[in-house]
Amino acid sequence: MEQRLVDEDLARVMEPVATANGLSNRYYTDRQCFEAEKERVFFDNWAAIGFAKDVPENGDAMPLTFLGQPLVVIRGRDGKLRVFQNICRHRGMILVREPGRIRGAIRCPYHSWCYDLDGALKATPHVGGPGHNTHAAIDRDALGLIEVRSHVWRDVVFVNISGDAPPFEEAHEKMLARWREFDRPLLHSGADSSFKLEVATNWKLAVENYCESYHLPWVHPGLNSYSRLEDHYHIEEPGAFSGQGTLVYRQLRGDENETFADAPGLGEKWDTAAEYIALYPNVLFGVHRDHSFAIILEPRDNASTVEHVEIYYHDESSTGPERAALRAKNTAQWRVVFEEDIFVVEGMQEGRNAVHFDGGRFSPAMDSPTHMFHHWIATQLAR
Amino acid sequence: MPLPGPAQPLDRLNGAVIAAHEAGDGMRLAGLYGEAADRFAEDGDIASACFFYTQAYIFALEQGAPEAERYAAVLRRHGRL
Ligand code: FES
Ligand SMILES: [Fe+2]
């Protein structure tokens, strides 16, 4: 009975936008739904867990917990970034506790089995008895760290924990093609371009809100003074991403009228266009001629999400000290915009305690990118 | 696990080892264990020497210290690695 109800709910979400309901309350409040989502939405797809800039040098390691999974991101001696389960193959001890540089090997703090940066098991001290460091039963070659499939795009580290998703380039072929012009190194200047927001909401509401421009005149009146609703267009790629674009992007100017330098070689469209895309499941990307950003949504629980915001520039002249003031202004401006959204995503979460709510409706004209996201979630959950 | 071998050279190093453990000073630990191992080796106590060479090797390996190779070589010579 319970199972059928869930299926009927999802079937309503998958109707055309004009007749569809949104996902019902349980997908925002119920523990079992959260667990199902963890497996089918996050582990089975390419989920974003962190930023490559946070492991800049060979040997850098960054432990993190994503949806309960202990992971460690390591840049190897070959410069390649890898993600491993952050556990020892001996008794499953957590290996790396603090971010930092690994000089030689990763030594498990329990019985000191040692692993190389590429995950290979290098040493098993006393495993054959005191002073005997081998044992016939312990095949080192078979006991390296367990690697998780990973891929870096636009500095975001994605993982496919199940190992079953198509390769990233295939799964997100359309996304990669859409922004190919921006395919160049993203430059990050550090703390002045980085912040996080802890929000009492379900991560999906942050995606839903990001996808649509409908709320701009009401929630971001400042943005809207130069960016009118009719200057926005929908971006929709079923099964992969959705969002919005603007045709009237204006560069930020400093006190001396200075601007950030453009990414070289951009087409004319980008003189005034900017695009804001939610790449399913949990990254919100933005691109402009002179800067980009990425927001990773870290679901802590049904009603708790951390938004990790990182702003990037496209030219070295933008990340030096002479642009520090303009960068501060840009970061502050984005912070205002993202903070303006907090009361709505928290308010919608609170609203999902209302027992008679039916998931709501969508404006066929304005909400189709949001519905596209719902449709994708429903498709993942109904598989 | 009880430490093997005579306690005497260990006693002298004991305090230093504990302090280095507490300070998380892997380089110093590798050096101290290596020293202990060398002394046992000089006394012909191979079992104890290999225990301490193992300790020294692991800390040197963790630190990426070149001495790791020397300790590994001794252990290998005794069929311990
Ligand atoms: S659990 Fe890691 S060495 Fe024993
Ligand atoms: Fe918004």
Side-chain angles (χ1 to χ4, degrees):
Chain A
M1 183 65 196
E2 184 66 6
Q3 194 52 42
R4 258 190 55 225
L5 267 176
V6 172
D7 292 347
E8 279 168 21
D9 281 3
L10 295 178
R12 278 206 307 278
V13 173
M14 289 191 269
E15 281 189 31
V17 62
T19 50
N21 283 117
L23 290 161
S24 50
N25 288 347
R26 72 184 72 207
Y27 296 103
Y28 300 82
T29 57
D30 181 90
R31 160 102 337 232
Q32 268 173 311
C33 287
F34 188 77
E35 290 300 318
E37 191 176 84
K38 184 162 109 176
E39 301 281 339
R40 295 182 204 168
V41 172
F42 287 97
F43 292 179
D44 289 352
N45 289 290
W46 287 98
I49 58 163
F51 301 95
K53 71 170 179 63
D54 293 330
V55 284
E57 303 292 337
N58 295 359
D60 283 348
M62 173 175 63
L64 56 92
T65 305
F66 180 73
L67 287 165
Q69 288 297 300
L71 300 172
V72 59
V73 182
I74 300 177
R75 194 176 293 282
R77 274 179 249 286
D78 52 2
K80 192 177 174 318
L81 187 148
R82 296 179 182 84
V83 180
F84 301 100
Q85 299 224 315
N86 189 13
I87 47 157
C88 181
R89 294 297 301 276
H90 177 216
R91 304 300 312 131
M93 175 67 186
I94 294 288
L95 282 176
V96 182
R97 281 288 182 199
E98 302 290 335
R101 181 81 36 85
I102 290 160
R103 294 203 274 173
I106 303 162
R107 181 176 65 82
C108 176
Y110 197 177
H111 313 94
S112 289
W113 286 23
C114 290
Y115 300 88
D116 208 348
L117 298 176
D118 63 2
L121 179 57
K122 294 276 286 181
T124 48
H126 313 306
V127 77
H132 295 262
N133 301 298
T134 57
H135 190 285
I138 303 299
D139 176 6
R140 273 189 220 156
D141 291 342
L143 291 170
L145 297 183
I146 300 165
E147 187 167 358
V148 172
R149 272 174 105 201
S150 63
H151 187 90
V152 178
W153 185 64
R154 295 190 73 72
D155 201 50
V156 172
V157 181
F158 293 87
V159 291
N160 168 228
I161 290 177
S162 72
D164 298 334
F168 185 90
E169 293 94 334
E170 204 178 290
H172 289 304
E173 190 184 356
K174 297 264 173 54
M175 182 74 245
L176 270 55
R178 185 178 188 101
W179 284 356
R180 190 137 284 150
E181 283 174 278
F182 289 93
D183 245 352
R184 49 190 348 279
L186 291 167
L187 308 174
H188 195 276
S189 63
D192 68 1
S193 298
S194 174
F195 61 96
K196 61 180 183 180
L197 303 172
E198 297 192 14
V199 189
T201 193
N202 186 280
W203 69 278
K204 294 189 293 300
L205 291 169
V207 175
E208 297 168 26
N209 171 65
Y210 188 78
C211 282
E212 48 96 340
S213 54
Y214 192 5
H215 71 287
L216 299 187
W218 315 109
V219 175
H220 310 293
L223 262 189
N224 209 57
S225 62
Y226 63 86
S227 168
R228 300 165 308 149
L229 220 35
E230 55 268 43
D231 297 322
H232 290 261
Y233 56 93
H234 297 332
I235 297 170
E236 297 176 309
E237 184 56 45
F241 59 86
S242 57
Q244 50 172 312
T246 174
L247 299 168
V248 292
Y249 172 65
R250 286 193 332 208
Q251 283 187 284
L252 181 67
R253 286 180 185 276
D255 294 343
E256 271 134 45
N257 219 28
E258 74 274 23
T259 57
F260 295 117
D262 291 339
L266 292 180
E268 231 171 86
K269 162 188 173 179
W270 296 105
D271 286 353
T272 56
E275 293 192 343
Y276 306 97
I277 292 181
L279 187 67
Y280 306 162
N282 67 325
V283 205
L284 313 178
F285 284 112
V287 292
H288 320 76
R289 55 192 283 182
D290 58 354
H291 74 286
S292 299
F293 62 76
I295 305 172
I296 293 180
L297 302 172
E298 180 200 345
R300 289 260 171 97
D301 209 335
N302 258 325
S304 170
T305 301
V306 184
E307 304 184 0
H308 300 265
V309 184
E310 302 292 347
I311 302 171
Y312 299 87
Y313 294 92
H314 300 158
D315 188 273
E316 273 178 19
S317 64
S318 303
T319 50
E322 66 286 355
R323 286 286 174 272
L326 193 58
R327 280 200 306 278
K329 191 171 171 180
N330 196 29
T331 301
Q333 180 173 288
W334 281 118
R335 187 188 266 278
V336 168
V337 173
F338 300 141
E339 284 178 349
E340 282 172 344
D341 285 316
I342 291 178
F343 88 96
V344 289
V345 294
E346 290 189 341
M348 286 191 286
Q349 179 67 24
E350 208 182 321
R352 272 148 183 80
N353 294 308
V355 291
H356 297 306
F357 184 60
D358 59 0
R361 295 293 302 279
F362 299 100
S363 154
M366 301 305 294
D367 286 327
S368 53
T370 303
H371 176 249
M372 187 162 286
F373 173 65
H374 273 233
H375 191 282
W376 181 75
I377 292 285
T379 308
Q380 303 309 300
L381 293 173
R383 268 189 289 130
Chain B
M1 189 193 70
L3 294 169
Q8 211 206 358
L10 190 67
D11 279 346
R12 271 182 272 130
L13 285 166
N14 224 2
V17 165
I18 289 168
H21 264 291
E22 273 168 7
D25 186 346
M27 286 302 264
R28 176 126 177 87
L29 282 169
L32 289 170
Y33 281 123
E35 226 177 279
D38 286 342
R39 275 190 228 174
F40 281 110
E42 278 162 28
D43 293 350
D45 181 351
I46 297 307
S48 299
C50 284
F51 174 85
F52 286 106
Y53 280 128
T54 298
Q55 296 293 106
Y57 169 57
I58 292 299
F59 283 109
L61 187 69
E62 181 187 25
Q63 298 302 318
E67 298 90 283
E69 225 1 86
R70 176 171 87 85
Y71 302 134
V74 183
L75 288 166
R76 236 176 259 124
R77 202 159 57 238
H78 293 290
R80 304 298 186 103
L81 196 64

